[in-house]
Amino acid sequence: MQKVYVVHLEGFLFCKVRYSQLHRWNEKLRRYFGSKCVPSFPPKSFLAQTESMAEERRLQLQSYLQTVAEDPVISVSEIFTTLLQNAQQETFKIHPQVIVLEILLADRNKLLIDTHTYDSAERMLSIAAQKIELSRQFLDYIALYLVREDTNGGYTVLRKLNAFELPYVGLWSMQNENSRIMIRKSYLDPMKDRMLLGITAGVLLLYSQAKYELERDWVKPTPNQYRKLKASQEAGKKREFLELMEEVKFYGYQHFEACICDYPEPNCPTSVRVGNNEINCCIQLPSNHIKEASFKVNRIRCWRISVQIPLQEEIGLKLSFEYQDSQDLWQWVTIYTHQAFLLGSCLKEISTEKPKLAGNHAEMPFESVAPDCKPKSWNAQSTLSKHIGTVPGKQCREVTRKDEASVFEYIADDQL
């Protein structure tokens, strides 16, 4: 059976492609950009491949696709994004058709937009903005997100959709009736709210998200702040409400589902939120006491994501970062969460907004990681700018399997 390669984006299945498809992509890119601008592509093999040869080709293809996706010119070009969109449609056999797509606001109100299955996230965001009468000049401040509705009436953010993605196809690929598309602000710096406070549509969008954060206890107002917020709500003063929220602890942070961390001791249940230049962890110690720890992003030297697929269990994800403590000592802190890629995206967002780090580091580097069950290093970090995050290619069980992780995995042709 012919082997195909599975491409993951930020931990989620994006598309499945054969070598011949990638070869055609490469030829198109070389014709368009010139051979000097496109990395070398693994050559065709006319001999039967051994397992080691097949693995070498997989790694070469992975390196090729990662390099192309990181190129600041190629990665945003229409020819490259069209190739990705076509692969996404072909993988899930989605036929072009007119649809009415439901987009949630953070407070559970809904927008219904007329669109097509082949419309990109960029296009759908523009339609949604027009629906709420938000000018195009403010599109950089909002984005579409893939979320999952929870049984408690809330929702969990899974990831932000890239501009080139096809939201309908991405939603369909989840095969989960609780998955939804949501429109939210696209930044973590609450000071940017002021760009939207001057327009009615911006106020409505920010208010829907801020009201939800207050209702779900994601923010921690003082008793006096809470009274003022409720008074503003009851009076219908949305702009005043938002201005008050700017002063509330944890406003605008990205919240994560309950997880585990190894700080200050192993296997501590933890609640994580990210924003305002910090990773804030509310940690339950073995003594059942609660410890709040704030890890400032400007004291993080580097971070990495590790991915592991047990044979019988769900994918295991963890994000580790090297942190400079108050004693100027460096230590690794690990957070075990299925939202590791989203956590990494938040760190990248903050480090982009505030790039100057401790120790005179000019930028926050991304590292590959060597898990305990693998003696060799493996590329497990999403270093692919906006596009493709890495996920292990082969299943492994700790101690017994030592396969390297990758963007690609082999599957049989009849599994497509």
Side-chain angles (χ1 to χ4, degrees), residues 129-148:
Q130 186 176 15
K131 188 88 170 181
I132 62 175
E133 299 182 347
L134 181 69
S135 172
R136 291 185 60 86
Q137 71 186 85
F138 298 106
L139 288 182
D140 287 343
Y141 297 94
I142 61 175
L144 297 181
Y145 288 78
L146 188 63
V147 304
R148 185 191 66 235

Side-chain angles (χ1 to χ4, degrees), residues 297 300-305 320-322 330 332 347 351 355 357-358 361-368 381-383:
V297 174
I300 295 175
R301 180 155 60 184
C302 59
W303 55 272
R304 61 197 187 191
I305 293 175
S320 302
F321 56 90
E322 192 175 16
W330 293 97
W332 281 97
L347 286 179
S351 64
L357 302 179
H361 292 285
E363 61 180 10
M364 183 185 300
F366 306 139
E367 293 188 352
S368 60
Q381 176 52 47
S382 175
T383 58

Side-chain angles (χ1 to χ4, degrees), residues 196-208 238-239 242:
L196 297 175
L197 283 175
I199 53 175
T200 301
V203 170
L204 291 175
L205 190 63
L206 293 175
Y207 181 75
S208 71
K238 295 182 175 62
R239 187 173 283 105
L242 290 169

Side-chain angles (χ1 to χ4, degrees), residues 204-249:
L204 291 175
L205 190 63
L206 293 175
Y207 181 75
S208 71
Q209 194 165 332
K211 181 176 69 171
Y212 178 86
E213 292 181 14
L214 183 63
E215 291 172 351
R216 306 300 295 187
D217 292 327
W218 284 11
V219 293
K220 301 298 179 185
T222 64
N224 187 47
Q225 286 175 328
Y226 184 78
R227 284 193 296 271
K228 290 181 178 180
L229 288 168
K230 296 306 290 185
S232 296
Q233 273 191 298
E234 292 169 2
K237 298 179 179 179
K238 295 182 175 62
R239 187 173 283 105
E240 179 181 290
F241 176 86
L242 290 169
E243 290 171 348
L244 290 170
M245 282 290 281
E246 287 184 4
E247 305 299 323
V248 175
K249 187 177 183 180

Side-chain angles (χ1 to χ4, degrees), residues 66-169:
Q66 289 178 332
T67 303
V68 168
E70 290 174 343
D71 187 283
V73 177
I74 297 177
S75 63
V76 297
S77 66
E78 183 177 357
I79 184 172
F80 182 67
T81 55
T82 299
L83 291 172
L84 291 174
Q85 290 168 355
N86 289 341
Q88 197 180 7
Q89 285 183 288
E90 292 169 7
T91 296
F92 299 104
K93 298 179 173 59
I94 302 297
H95 300 292
Q97 59 180 307
V98 177
I99 57 171
V100 176
L101 185 68
E102 179 183 276
I103 297 180
L104 296 181
L105 295 174
D107 61 2
R108 309 304 295 277
N109 284 317
K110 302 174 182 178
L111 298 175
L112 296 179
I113 65 170
D114 297 315
T115 183
H116 297 81
T117 56
Y118 54 78
D119 278 341
S120 67
E122 182 178 34
R123 169 63 177 159
M124 288 190 182
L125 181 65
S126 179
I127 296 173
Q130 186 176 15
K131 188 88 170 181
I132 62 175
E133 299 182 347
L134 181 69
S135 172
R136 291 185 60 86
Q137 71 186 85
F138 298 106
L139 288 182
D140 287 343
Y141 297 94
I142 61 175
L144 297 181
Y145 288 78
L146 188 63
V147 304
R148 185 191 66 235
E149 291 185 316
D150 300 327
T151 55
N152 61 6
Y155 62 84
T156 298
V157 176
L158 301 178
R159 65 183 182 88
K160 181 164 69 174
L161 293 173
N162 295 285
F164 68 87
E165 289 185 72
L166 307 180
Y168 176 81
V169 180

Side-chain angles (χ1 to χ4, degrees), residues 10 21 27 36 115 152 157 173 233 248 276 333 406 415:
E10 297 177 16
Q21 288 177 278
E27 293 300 312
K36 293 183 178 180
T115 183
N152 61 6
V157 176
S173 70
Q233 273 191 298
V248 175
N276 195 27
V333 178
S406 62
Q415 288 179 273

Side-chain angles (χ1 to χ4, degrees), residues 27-44:
E27 293 300 312
K28 289 181 179 179
L29 292 176
R30 287 182 183 281
R31 286 197 297 269
Y32 192 84
F33 294 101
S35 297
K36 293 183 178 180
C37 298
V38 181
S40 59
F41 189 82
K44 291 183 178 180

